[in-house]
């Protein structure tokens, strides 16, 4: 049944998939993003998988539209053909592997984020003018393999290290080192990760 619906809606996807077909760099980044949600997208490494994700996975629509930042006209037209959930906002320099789970109320305005950033619902990542880094940025810089769980707030010109898990409901206002699990309000290190965690 879903394949029939996909076939009937294919016309809606013609304009949004043009950059995917023409831009090799975009295609590679999208494949990595889709690989992170392969449990929800059959044939995630194919054009059919992309089409399936754009029709059925609303958070992925927001990720895809973010990835179209170098294709502004197509990005604008996408809003008419495959509407993005308005409660998901994404900006910053985010590496491949971005995955948004559930996606309600997510705001991700970071300075930069490394590979494999995972975000759950109601997460806020953004500015805090009273906390700036050495470059004057008031938005967080996030490392590789970071998980930000439900309802967390990460704000200010802080640095989140690599391999960090931010527990649900945490409020992160200070730099976090690599390889740790943090939680609380304000967030504190709960434990340091060992190799293989």
């Amino acid at each position: 049944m879903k394949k029939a619906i996909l076939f009937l809606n294919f016309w809606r996807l013609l304009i949004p998939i043009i950059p995917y077909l023409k831009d090799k760099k975009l295609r590679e980044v999208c494949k990595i993003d889709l690989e992170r949600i392969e449990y929800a997208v059959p044939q995630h490494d194919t054009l059919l998988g992309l089409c399936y994700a754009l029709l059925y996975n609303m958070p992925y629509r927001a990720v895809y539209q973010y990835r179209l930042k170098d294709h502004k006209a197509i990005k604008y037209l996408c809003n008419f053909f495959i509407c993005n959930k308005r409660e998901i906002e994404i900006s910053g320099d985010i590496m491949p592997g971005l995955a948004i789970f559930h996606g309600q109320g997510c705001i991700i305005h970071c300075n930069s984020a490394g590979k494999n950033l995972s975000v759950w619902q109601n997460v806020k990542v953004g500015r805090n003018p009273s906390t700036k880094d050495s470059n004057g940025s008031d938005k967080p810089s996030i490392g590789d393999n970071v998980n930000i769980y439900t309802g967390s707030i990460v704000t200010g010109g802080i640095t989140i290290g690599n391999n960090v898990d931010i527990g649900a409901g945490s409020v992160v206002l200070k730099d976090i080192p690599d390889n740790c699990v943090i939680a609380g309000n304000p967030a504190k290190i709960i434990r340091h990760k060992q190799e293989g965690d």
Side-chain angles (χ1 to χ4, degrees):
M1 181 66 168
K2 283 193 173 186
K3 284 188 179 180
I5 293 171
L6 180 64
F7 179 74
L8 292 172
N9 280 285
F10 192 74
W11 67 271
R12 290 174 52 205
L13 302 174
L14 290 176
I15 290 177
I17 64 173
I18 289 171
Y20 179 86
L21 296 172
K22 289 186 164 190
D23 186 341
K24 183 178 179 182
K25 181 180 173 191
L26 174 67
R27 193 166 44 251
E28 294 305 315
V29 169
C30 288
K31 285 181 180 182
I32 294 169
D33 290 340
L34 285 168
E35 191 175 284
R36 300 285 319 284
I37 58 168
E38 66 182 314
Y39 68 90
V41 181
Q43 301 173 347
H44 66 277
D45 56 346
T46 65
L47 179 60
L48 181 64
L50 173 70
C51 293
Y52 186 93
L54 290 175
L55 282 178
Y56 293 112
N57 192 307
M58 295 288 264
Y60 183 74
R61 285 185 191 178
V63 172
Y64 185 73
Q65 287 185 7
Y66 164 74
R67 296 293 184 206
L68 292 176
K69 62 186 173 200
D70 295 334
H71 304 274
K72 293 189 185 329
I74 300 289
K75 182 177 180 177
Y76 178 75
L77 289 172
C78 277
N79 288 321
F80 296 107
F81 294 103
I82 52 166
C83 296
N84 178 14
K85 292 177 86 168
R86 294 290 174 219
E87 63 267 11
I88 299 176
E89 297 178 19
I90 306 170
S91 72
D93 183 20
I94 303 174
M95 299 300 289
L98 173 61
I100 300 174
F101 301 98
H102 305 295
Q104 282 67 33
C106 288
I107 298 174
I108 307 166
H109 293 297
C110 60
N111 189 35
S112 63
K115 295 180 279 188
N116 301 327
L117 172 63
S118 298
V119 176
W120 276 257
Q121 68 268 25
N122 295 319
V123 164
K124 309 296 185 251
V125 175
R127 299 179 60 208
N128 181 352
S130 65
T131 311
K132 295 186 178 185
D133 66 10
S134 59
N135 297 325
S137 175
D138 59 358
K139 296 186 280 187
S141 295
I142 301 170
D144 294 340
N145 304 311
V146 173
N147 296 307
I148 307 175
Y149 291 101
T150 305
S152 294
I153 299 170
V154 179
T155 182
I158 61 174
T159 300
I160 307 297
N162 297 323
N163 306 311
V164 172
D165 290 338
I166 300 174
S170 298
V171 177
V172 185
L173 302 171
K174 295 182 180 175
D175 291 349
I176 304 298
D178 291 349
N179 303 311
C180 63
V181 177
I182 64 170
N185 180 2
K188 296 180 178 135
I189 297 174
I190 301 300
R191 73 178 176 90
H192 290 277
K193 291 182 175 183
Q194 303 301 319
E195 194 143 335
D197 275 356

